[in-house]
Amino acid sequence: MMMRSARAVPALALAAGLPTALPAQRGLNELGRNMKMLDKNFDAADRNHDGMLTRQEAQAAPFFARHFDAIDAENRGEVSKQDVHAYVARPLKSTSRKNTPTSAGSASHP
């Protein structure tokens, strides 16, 4: 009997529409860990420690080597941590724009 009640509480919370931020929090934590790992790999690949990765330095880290041209959106031939962060954030920004109602969309419905 006690076991059945313990399982019913989370189900009731979901049915009642109570906020469940745990999956979103996990996603943000995972993103934070990934960004820290990217920063660590960036620092390791930055042989001259100037805060920039050249194409040659990027070859030391598979992610940077594979995505160098896309990260280097300004075609400078080198990328900074800010460039990497912007590259990683691009899909997140486009997803959030798709899920945000626009004023034009809301005006079309009476």
Side-chain angles (χ1 to χ4, degrees), residues 6-39:
R7 279 187 258 153
V9 171
L12 288 173
L14 287 173
L18 296 176
T20 55
L22 193 56
Q25 184 177 0
R26 282 189 201 144
L28 289 175
N29 288 340
E30 185 68 24
L31 179 61
R33 282 192 294 277
N34 289 340
M35 294 305 285
K36 285 180 183 178
M37 183 59 71
L38 282 173
D39 287 349

Side-chain angles (χ1 to χ4, degrees), residues 43-56:
D43 291 338
D46 184 12
R47 287 185 229 133
N48 63 357
H49 307 291
D50 66 349
M52 301 295 285
L53 286 186
T54 62
R55 184 179 301 279
Q56 184 178 8

Side-chain angles (χ1 to χ4, degrees), residues 37-82:
M37 183 59 71
L38 282 173
D39 287 349
K40 184 178 175 181
N41 289 340
F42 185 100
D43 291 338
D46 184 12
R47 287 185 229 133
N48 63 357
H49 307 291
D50 66 349
M52 301 295 285
L53 286 186
T54 62
R55 184 179 301 279
Q56 184 178 8
E57 288 174 317
Q59 298 308 308
F63 176 84
F64 301 119
R66 200 169 40 249
H67 300 278
F68 189 86
D69 289 329
I71 296 169
D72 186 16
E74 296 178 18
N75 298 316
R76 295 179 309 205
E78 60 185 10
V79 298
S80 67
K81 280 185 190 178
Q82 288 176 321

